[in-house]
C-alpha cells in the first residue's frame, strides 16, 4: 500500500517528507472542513428563526439570523467540547472507544478485510466482560486484567470466525460480519432478560461490574482506558510496520495471490487479522464498560462500530491517523450535547457531518474538484477501501 | 471565473466557520447559555406568566420521537410549558454514556428540575440524585431510589381490569386471551388486572367467559402462569401467539409485549378479531390497524410528567416518594373506543363507569399486587 511508504519515508529528503505529509493530511482536513460547512447550511436551512428573520427583517435581518444560527450552533459545540476542563475530559471520554474501534477497522483494512462486525464484536465483548466483571470477586490486580481479557477474547473469537469462513469457504466477510452482528444483538436481548439480568430481573439491565474491575476515573469521567487506547495504538503501529506478522498482514491485504506465491500462509493471516481486529473491538467495549458505564443495558453502543469505519478511512488506516480522527469525532460528539442544550440542534447533525466526512474521504475526487486540487496518483485515498472488497 | 467564485465561496465559508467558533468560545459557557434562553423566552412571550424556571427531560436511546415513553413524556413537558409558563428542553441520548453526561450538563446549567425516562436511566438518575441532594429529579416508570428523587409509577392493573371486563362483555366466542413479553411485574400487572376484570364480569353476570394466556396463582413464581414470547421485539411471535389463541376460539386479545403486539394486530385484522392495546392508544400509534383496536389500557405518562413538573414548580415536590398514576388522578386510563364506539352499549359504558368508581374507592379489587 502506497500510503505506508508515505508515512514512514526513510530515504527522501525533509522537504519531500513535508510535501507528502501535506498531501496525506490535506484531503481529510478539507473533507472535515467541507462537511462542517455543509452541516452549517443544514443548521441554517432547518432553523425556523432564519425564515422568520428573512420575512421580517429583509435580506439584512436574514443574513444576521443566519450568522446567529450558525455561530450559536458551532459556538456552543466548541464550548461544549473544549470550553472547560470538564468538557475536555468528556471529549476524551468520547474519543476512547473511537480509538479502539477505529484501530479495529484499520487493522482489518490493512489485511484486506472489511470488518463491518465491529459493532457486534464490541457488544459480545461487553457481555463477556460484564459477566466476568460482576460475577467473580477477585483482587483488582487479577480481576481487572481478566475482565478486559474476557472482552478481548470474546471479540477476537467472534471476528476470527468470520475470518475463518472467508479463508476456508470464500464467504465474504462483509456479509458474514453484518449477519453476525444481528446474532449478537438478539443474543444480548435474550441474555439481558436471562442470565445477564440483575436479580430480581425487573428490567433488562445487567448487574453492575464490581469495583475491583473498574478502570479508575481520574479527571472527571476520564479513565485509564484512554491511556490504554494510546498504548494500544502504538502497539498496533509497531505490530503492523515493525514485525513479520505485520508485514504478512499488509502483504495479504495488498495482494493475497502474490502473498501466497511468496510463501505466506494467507489462511492463517486472514484469521489472525480478523482476530486482532476483533480483539481491538473487544477492547473498545471493555474499556467503555469498565471505565464509564459499569453496567450493560440496551443501547450500550449506538454505532461505535460503524463510526469506526469512517475513522479508519479518515485516518488512512494508520494508527496515528486513527487516533487523530478519533479525537476529532469524540470532540464533535461531545460538543453535540451543549449544542443540543443551548442551540436546540438535535445531536443527529453530528451523524450527518460524520456521514459527509465518509463520503468525501471515500470519494476524494469530490474534494479535489471542489478545491481544484490536482490528483497526484490514481491509487491515493480510495485504494484502502477497494482492497477490502476484492478477492 | 467560475473557479475563482468557487474558491471565494469556499474561503468565505471557512472563515465564517472559524469566526463562528471563535465567537462562540469567547464568552464563557455561563454567559453563552444566558443568551439563547432569553431569545426563546422572547419568542414564547405570548404565553401567560413566564416563571423563568427551566425544566428538562433526558430521553433514553430511543430519542424524543420514539412514538413511545419518551414522546409521551415530552408531551407532558410541553403541557407544563403551556400551563405553567416554564421553559422546557429535551436532551436526547445516543448511547449509554450520554445518560450521566446529559444529566450533568443540565445540573451544571442550573436547571430547576429534571425528568428522566425509563429504567435505562435508573442508575444515572440515582447517581445524580445522590451527588446533588438539592436536585429535583423524577424518573418515569421506575420507583424512587434515593431520599431526594421521585419515581413516576402507574397502576396499570386498573385500566386492564376495565379492559378485561369490556372484553368479556363483548366476546362473541366466549373466549378472550392475553400474553406477555417477559414475565416481569410491569407486564404481569396488566395480565392480572385483565384476568380480574374477566372474572368480575363472570361473577356479576354469571357468565362463562374463558381467559387464555394467564392464570394468577400466588404460590407460583412471579404470581402466576401464562404465555410469554420471551422478547419485546419479534412481530412474528406476536402473530404466532395470536393465531394460536384464535385457533382455540379467542376473539379478543390483549398482548402486553410492546411492538410484538403489532404482529397480533396484523393477525387480528386478517381474522376479523379485535385487540386491546397497552401503554399508549393503539388507534393513534398504529393507524394501519386503527379499527382493530377495541381500546387500550393507557399509561398516561404525559399526565405523570406534568404532575411532577408542577410539583417541582409549586414547591410541593417531595423526594423519596413515588407518584402513582391511577384512574383517580388520570395517570392511567382506558382509551376511547374510537371506531368501535357503536359496539359498546350505553349500559356497558355505565357499568364501566361504576367499575372505575369502585376501583377508585377501593370496593373493587384488581387483584394486584398478587398475594
Amino acid at each position: 500500500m502506497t500510503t505506508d511508504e508515505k508515512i514512514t519515508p526513510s530515504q527522501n529528503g525533509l522537504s519531500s517528507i513535508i510535501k507528502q505529509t501535506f498531501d496525506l493530511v490535506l484531503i481529510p482536513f478539507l473533507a472535515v472542513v467541507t462537511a462542517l460547512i455543509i452541516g452549517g447550511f443544514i443548521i441554517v436551512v432547518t432553523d425556523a428563526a432564519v425564515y422568520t428573520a428573512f420575512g421580517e427583517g429583509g435580506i439584512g435581518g436574514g443574513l444576521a439570523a443566519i450568522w446567529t444560527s450558525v455561530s450559536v450552533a458551532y459556538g456552543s459545540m466548541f464550548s461544549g467540547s473544549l470550553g472547560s476542563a470538564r468538557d475536555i475530559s468528556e471529549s476524551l471520554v468520547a474519543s476512547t472507544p473511537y480509538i479502539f474501534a477505529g484501530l479495529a477497522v484499520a487493522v482489518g483494512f490493512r489485511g484486506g478485510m472489511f470488518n463491518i462486525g465491529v459493532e457486534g464484536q464490541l457488544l459480545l465483548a461487553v457481555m463477556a466482560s460484564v459477566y466476568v466483571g460482576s460475577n467473580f470477586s477477585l483482587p483488582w490486580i487479577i480481576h481487572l486484567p481478566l475482565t478486559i481479557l474476557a472482552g478481548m477474547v470474546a471479540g477476537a473469537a467472534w471476528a476470527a470466525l468470520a475470518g475463518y469462513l472467508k479463508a476456508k469457504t470464500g464467504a465474504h466477510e462483509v456479509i458474514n460480519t453484518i449477519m453476525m452482528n444481528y446474532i449478537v444483538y438478539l443474543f444480548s436481548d435474550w441474555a439481558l432478560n436471562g442470565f445477564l439480568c440483575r436479580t430480581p430481573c425487573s428490567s433488562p439491565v445487567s448487574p453492575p461490574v464490581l469495583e475491583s474491575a473498574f478502570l479508575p476515573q481520574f479527571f472527571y469521567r476520564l479513565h485509564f482506558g484512554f491511556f490504554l487506547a494510546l498504548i494500544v495504538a502504538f502497539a498496533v503501529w509497531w505490530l503492523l510496520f515493525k514485525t513479520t506478522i505485520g508485514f504478512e498482514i499488509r502483504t495479504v491485504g495488498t495482494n493475497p495471490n502474490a502473498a501466497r506465491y511468496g510463501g505466506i500462509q494467507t489462511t492463517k493471516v486472514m484469521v489472525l487479522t480478523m482476530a486482532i481486529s476483533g480483539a481491538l473491538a473487544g477492547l473498545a467495549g471493555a474499556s467503555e464498560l469498565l471505565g464509564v458505564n459499569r453496567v450493560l443495558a440496551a443501547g450500550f453502543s449506538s454505532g461505535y462500530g460503524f463510526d469506526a469505519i469512517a475513522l479508519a478511512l479518515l485516518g488512512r488506516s494508520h494508527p496515528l491517523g486513527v487516533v487523530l480522527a478519533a479525537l476529532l469525532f469524540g470532540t464533535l460528539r461531545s460538543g453535540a450535547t451543549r449544542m443540543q442544550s443551548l442551540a436546540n440542534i438535535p445531536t443527529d447533525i453530528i451523524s450527518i457531518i460524520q456521514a459527509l466526512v465518509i463520503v468525501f474521504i471515500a470519494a476524494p475526487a469530490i474534494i479535489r474538484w471542489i478545491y481544484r486540487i490536482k490528483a497526484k496518483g490514481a491509487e491515493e485515498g480510495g485504494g484502502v477501501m477497494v482492497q477490502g472488497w476484492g478477492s | 471565473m467560475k473557479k475563482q467564485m468557487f474558491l471565494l465561496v469556499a474561503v468565505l465559508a471557512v472563515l465564517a466557520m472559524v469566526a463562528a467558533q471563535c465567537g462562540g468560545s469567547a464568552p464563557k459557557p455561563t454567559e453563552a447559555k444566558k443568551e439563547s434562553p432569553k431569545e426563546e423566552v422572547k419568542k414564547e412571550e405570548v404565553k401567560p406568566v413566564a416563571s423563568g424556571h427551566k425544566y428538562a427531560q433526558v430521553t433514553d436511546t430511543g430519542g424524543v420521537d420514539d412514538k413511545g415513553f419518551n414522546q409521551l413524556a415530552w408531551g407532558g413537558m410541553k403541557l407544563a410549558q403551556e400551563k405553567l409558563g416554564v421553559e422546557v428542553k429535551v436532551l436526547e441520548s445516543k448511547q449509554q454514556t450520554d445518560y450521566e453526561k446529559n444529566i450533568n450538563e443540565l445540573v451544571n446549567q442550573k436547571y430547576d428540575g429534571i425528568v428522566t425516562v425509563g429504567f435505562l436511566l435508573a442508575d444515572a438518575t440515582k447517581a445524580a440524585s445522590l451527588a446533588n441532594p438539592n436536585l429535583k429529579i423524577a424518573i418515569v416508570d421506575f420507583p424512587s431510589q434515593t431520599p431526594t428523587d421521585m419515581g413516576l409509577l402507574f397502576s396499570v392493573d386498573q385500566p386492564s381490569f376495565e379492559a378485561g371486563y369490556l372484553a368479556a362483555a363483548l366476546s362473541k366466542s366466549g373466549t378472550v386471551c392475553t400474553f406477555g413479553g417477559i414475565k416481569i411485574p410491569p407486564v404481569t400487572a396488566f395480565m392480572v388486572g385483565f384476568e380480574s376484570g374477566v372474572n368480575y364480569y363472570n361473577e356479576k353476570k354469571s357468565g362463562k367467559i374463558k381467559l387464555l394466556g394467564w392464570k394468577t396463582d400466588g404460590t407460583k413464581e412471579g404470581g402466576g402462569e401464562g404465555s410469554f414470547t420471551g422478547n419485546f421485539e419479534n412481530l412474528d411471535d406476536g402473530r404466532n401467539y395470536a393465531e394460536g389463541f384464535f385457533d382455540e376460539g379467542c376473539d379478543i386479545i390483549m398482548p402486553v409485549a410492546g411492538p410484538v403486539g403489532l404482529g397480533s394486530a396484523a393477525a387480528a385484522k386478517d381474522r376479523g378479531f379485535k385487540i386491546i392495546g397497552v401503554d399508549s392508544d393503539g388507534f393513534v400509534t398504529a393507524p394501519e390497524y386503527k379499527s382493530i383496536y377495541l381500546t387500550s389500557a393507557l399509561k398516561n405518562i404525559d399526565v405523570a410528567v406534568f404532575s411532577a413538573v408542577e410539583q417541582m414548580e409549586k414547591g410541593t415536590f417531595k423526594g423519596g416518594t413515588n407518584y402513582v398514576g391511577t384512574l383517580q388522578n388520570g395517570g392511567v386510563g382506558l382509551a376511547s373506543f374510537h371506531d368501535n364506539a357503536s359496539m359498546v352499549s350505553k349500559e356497558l359504558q355505565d357499568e364501566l363507569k361504576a367499575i372505575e368508581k369502585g376501583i377508585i374507592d377501593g370496593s373493587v379489587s384488581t387483584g394486584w399486587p398478587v398475594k
Side-chain angles (χ1 to χ4, degrees):
Chain A
M1 215 154 285
T2 48
T3 42
D4 315 350
E5 295 151 22
K6 282 175 186 158
I7 285 161
T8 53
S10 42
Q11 316 94 329
N12 303 343
L14 187 66
S15 65
S16 78
I17 294 177
I18 293 170
K19 193 173 180 308
Q20 283 172 356
T21 316
F22 184 73
D23 282 345
L24 199 65
V25 170
L26 188 64
I27 298 276
F29 174 76
L30 288 178
V32 171
V33 169
T34 315
L36 282 170
I37 292 170
I38 297 178
F41 278 124
I42 294 169
I43 289 169
V44 169
V45 169
T46 53
D47 186 354
V50 169
Y51 296 98
T52 325
F54 265 111
E56 290 169 1
I59 303 272
L63 288 176
I66 287 178
W67 173 252
T68 315
S69 178
V70 177
S71 61
V72 168
Y74 281 129
S76 55
M77 181 165 139
F78 190 75
S79 83
S81 54
L82 302 168
S84 72
R86 179 194 284 270
D87 296 326
I88 292 172
S89 147
E90 282 296 338
S91 295
L92 296 178
V93 168
S95 303
T96 305
Y98 278 144
I99 296 177
F100 285 122
L103 288 171
V105 178
V107 168
F109 278 160
R110 289 285 175 182
M113 306 290 272
F114 199 163
N115 183 4
I116 303 189
V118 170
E119 186 80 358
Q121 291 142 22
L122 186 157
L123 187 55
L124 194 71
V126 173
M127 290 169 68
S129 283
V130 86
Y131 185 78
V132 174
S134 62
N135 276 321
F136 302 105
S137 191
L138 295 164
W140 77 268
I141 191 91
I142 304 170
H143 200 193
L144 176 60
L146 190 69
T147 310
I148 294 176
L149 197 67
M152 287 176 71
V153 170
W158 195 239
L161 185 59
Y164 181 81
L165 288 173
K166 161 111 171 190
K168 285 291 171 193
T169 69
H172 205 289
E173 80 278 3
V174 168
I175 310 295
N176 285 336
T177 51
I178 291 177
M179 294 307 161
M180 287 166 75
N181 278 346
Y182 287 102
I183 297 176
V184 179
Y185 297 159
L186 293 171
F187 178 57
S188 81
D189 278 347
W190 175 78
L192 274 177
N193 288 304
F195 72 96
L196 271 184
C197 192
R198 50 174 79 166
T199 37
C201 182
S202 60
S203 44
V205 180
S206 81
V209 171
L210 298 174
E211 209 161 319
S212 52
F214 279 11
L215 277 167
Q217 300 179 343
F218 60 94
F219 174 46
Y220 296 103
R221 287 211 297 166
L222 185 58
H223 54 90
F224 281 95
F226 179 70
F227 295 115
L228 188 62
L230 296 182
I231 294 167
V232 167
F234 179 79
V236 167
W237 170 80
W238 184 79
L239 177 83
L240 280 176
F241 299 108
K242 298 289 164 191
T243 66
T244 317
I245 294 171
F247 176 77
E248 289 183 353
I249 289 175
R250 287 183 293 131
T251 311
V252 171
T254 312
N255 188 333
N257 295 326
R260 195 176 300 117
Y261 186 70
I264 295 173
Q265 286 179 276
T266 50
T267 327
K268 194 190 84 184
V269 172
M270 278 179 183
V271 176
L272 186 69
T273 306
M274 283 304 278
I276 295 171
S277 180
L280 290 164
L283 273 171
S287 78
E288 191 72 345
L289 174 77
L290 304 177
V292 195
N293 289 330
R294 276 120 194 221
V295 301
L296 168 62
F300 182 92
S301 163
S302 309
Y304 290 129
F306 301 113
D307 289 349
I309 298 167
L311 292 166
L313 290 171
L314 187 57
R316 297 290 171 102
S317 296
H318 188 279
L320 179 62
V322 168
V323 170
L324 294 176
L327 288 172
L328 175 76
F329 272 34
T331 309
L332 287 175
R333 270 270 169 238
S334 180
T337 304
R338 187 72 46 83
M339 193 154 86
Q340 188 181 206
S341 73
L342 287 186
N344 284 324
I345 292 164
T347 47
D348 298 319
I349 189 77
I350 299 301
S351 308
I352 294 176
I353 291 172
Q354 284 179 348
L356 288 168
V357 170
I358 305 176
V359 170
F360 294 139
I361 294 287
I366 303 175
I367 291 293
R368 288 214 187 82
W369 176 75
I370 294 176
Y371 296 96
R372 295 294 186 268
I373 299 166
K374 283 200 186 96
K376 274 192 59 207
E379 78 286 339
E380 215 188 316
V384 175
M385 182 94 178
V386 173
Q387 290 298 339
W389 288 91
S391 63
Chain B
M1 183 62 195
K2 198 175 150 200
K3 188 171 163 185
Q4 282 164 341
M5 277 294 285
F6 238 128
L7 266 177
L8 189 68
V9 170
V11 168
L12 275 179
V14 171
L15 282 177
M17 307 282 304
V18 173
Q21 298 211 337
C22 296
S25 65
K28 283 191 177 138
T30 43
E31 286 167 319
K33 91 177 115 184
K34 274 179 201 154
E35 281 170 20
S36 57
K38 257 185 212 159
E39 285 169 9
E40 266 159 50
V41 174
K42 260 183 221 160
K43 273 183 245 161
E44 306 294 343
E45 234 156 28
V46 246
K47 304 280 179 271
V49 250
S51 74
H53 290 156
K54 305 184 291 183
Y55 296 89
Q57 170 192 349
V58 179
T59 76
D60 68 13
T61 48
V64 73
D65 44 10
D66 65 346
K67 294 193 192 298
F69 289 13
N70 291 300
Q71 198 166 352
L72 286 165
W74 181 233
M77 297 296 285
K78 284 197 290 200
L79 195 67
Q81 180 183 37
E82 198 177 300
K83 291 206 170 160
L84 305 173
V86 298
E87 191 191 317
V88 297
K89 174 89 70 181
V90 58
L91 289 191
E92 291 185 280
S93 305
K94 288 285 161 206
Q95 54 224 358
Q96 205 178 331
T97 44
D98 288 346
Y99 303 149
E100 192 180 337
K101 187 175 177 225
N102 281 337
I103 294 174
N104 283 339
E105 176 81 12
L106 296 167
V107 170
N108 291 338
Q109 290 188 25
K110 308 236 173 344
Y111 269 75
D112 298 281
I114 299 173
V115 176
T116 60
V117 182
F119 64 86
L120 288 172
L121 277 101
D123 288 357
T125 305
K126 183 179 175 184
S129 178
L130 290 175
N132 309 283
N134 291 324
L135 176 68
K136 290 175 190 156
I137 188 164
I139 178 163
V140 173
D141 228 14
F142 208 84
S144 163
Q145 306 173 86
T146 74
T148 54
D149 75 344
M150 180 187 260
L152 307 179
L153 302 175
F154 302 89
S155 295
V156 290
D157 48 305
Q158 298 184 351
S160 302
F161 185 99
E162 292 183 88
Y165 188 91
L166 177 78
L170 294 181
S171 173
K172 293 189 186 95
S173 63
T175 305
V176 296
C177 50
T178 182
F179 69 87
I182 292 161
K183 196 175 180 178
I184 50 178
V187 170
T188 48
F190 280 102
M191 300 165 81
V192 169
F194 192 72
E195 184 196 30
S196 304
V198 174
N199 290 343
Y200 188 75
Y201 177 85
N202 287 341
E203 208 176 287
K204 287 271 153 181
K205 306 265 166 168
S206 49
K208 290 205 175 72
I209 305 297
K210 234 170 60 181
L211 173 70
L212 302 174
W214 178 254
K215 180 97 192 74
T216 301
D217 182 348
T219 63
K220 295 270 163 46
E221 194 197 337
E225 278 181 329
S227 301
F228 295 91
T229 55
N231 68 74
F232 290 104
E233 288 90 23
N234 194 336
L235 269 63
D236 284 343
D237 282 351
R239 179 178 267 281
N240 291 337
Y241 274 64
E243 296 280 8
F245 284 128
F246 294 155
D247 289 342
E248 289 181 57
C250 167
D251 65 350
I252 297 174
I253 186 167
M254 182 169 84
V256 190
V260 175
L262 292 176
S264 309
K269 194 175 184 180
D270 292 350
R271 298 271 199 111
F273 293 144
K274 297 289 180 200
I275 183 170
I276 293 170
V278 296
D279 292 340
S280 57
D281 190 348
F283 181 89
V284 178
T285 54
E288 65 272 38
Y289 303 118
K290 54 183 182 180
S291 56
I292 305 299
Y293 279 93
L294 188 56
T295 183
S296 299
L298 300 176
K299 265 185 194 177
N300 292 324
I301 290 170
D302 47 347
V303 174
V305 167
F306 175 78
S307 168
V309 174
E310 193 181 32
Q311 290 178 44
M312 292 173 181
E313 179 70 8
K314 295 196 168 151
T316 54
F317 179 86
K318 257 181 77 185
T321 62
N322 291 318
Y323 162 96
V324 181
T326 58
L327 289 174
Q328 187 167 15
N329 63 19
V332 295
L334 203 62
S336 150
F337 306 118
H338 300 289
D339 291 357
N340 295 309
S342 58
M343 286 172 67
V344 186
S345 65
K346 178 80 182 50
E347 193 189 351
L348 183 52
Q349 285 186 32
D350 290 342
E351 285 167 18
L352 286 172
K353 267 186 204 134
I355 287 172
E356 184 169 332
K357 237 178 112 206
I359 292 174
I360 289 172
D361 68 26
S363 61
V364 175
S365 163
T366 63
W368 180 264
V370 177
K371 290 198 186 82

